[in-house]
Amino acid sequence: MGKNMKYAHPDLIMKYEIVKGEIVSSEFQQSNGEEEEYENLSVFIAKMDLCGEFLMDFLKNSREIGALSRVVEDKMKVPLFFTQFYLLIRRTKLRDTY
């Protein structure tokens, strides 16, 4: 994915760099014997954000060039909904009520 990032939207590039940074940070913390759970969660959240941005970019660009089939759009809706819904829950801190 990294080789073709120069063609991506700036928001997607930024989120990709955040994921890379979170992974490096997590690996560093694990090599020092620090707690893994929180670090793994931060990597997961960053990946979810990147995935959602990628899916939205894909759908938008495919619509613009007229290359989006109904079948592909339908298959993209569920993962896009999941990423956005998960991030919404994280942002509103609803997960803490359970």
Side-chain angles (χ1 to χ4, degrees):
M1 184 174 186
K3 293 178 184 178
N4 294 316
M5 288 305 290
K6 62 184 174 186
Y7 303 110
H9 188 273
D11 287 342
L12 186 61
I13 295 170
M14 180 185 69
K15 290 179 182 189
Y16 175 73
E17 292 299 326
I18 289 170
V19 167
K20 283 181 16 182
E22 289 291 337
I23 290 170
V24 168
S25 175
S26 177
E27 289 172 352
F28 177 75
Q29 299 243 342
Q30 288 175 12
S31 69
N32 287 335
E34 296 178 23
E35 190 173 331
E36 295 180 26
E37 185 177 333
Y38 175 75
E39 297 305 319
N40 289 336
L41 182 60
S42 67
V43 171
F44 178 74
I45 293 167
K47 286 181 177 181
M48 289 291 283
D49 199 23
L50 174 63
C51 182
E53 185 71 31
F54 177 80
L55 291 171
M56 286 189 290
D57 245 17
F58 176 81
L59 289 170
K60 179 182 167 248
N61 293 334
S62 295
R63 281 187 192 114
E64 286 177 359
I65 64 172
L68 184 63
S69 71
R70 188 70 172 153
V71 173
V72 171
E73 184 175 16
D74 288 345
K75 287 188 180 206
M76 293 291 181
K77 284 181 181 178
V78 173
L80 180 59
F81 172 80
F82 178 73
T83 59
Q84 297 307 297
F85 185 68
Y86 177 79
L87 293 169
L88 177 66
I89 289 172
R90 291 278 309 156
R91 286 184 188 115
T92 58
K93 300 189 186 286
L94 289 177
R95 66 168 179 67
D96 292 337
T97 62
Y98 294 106

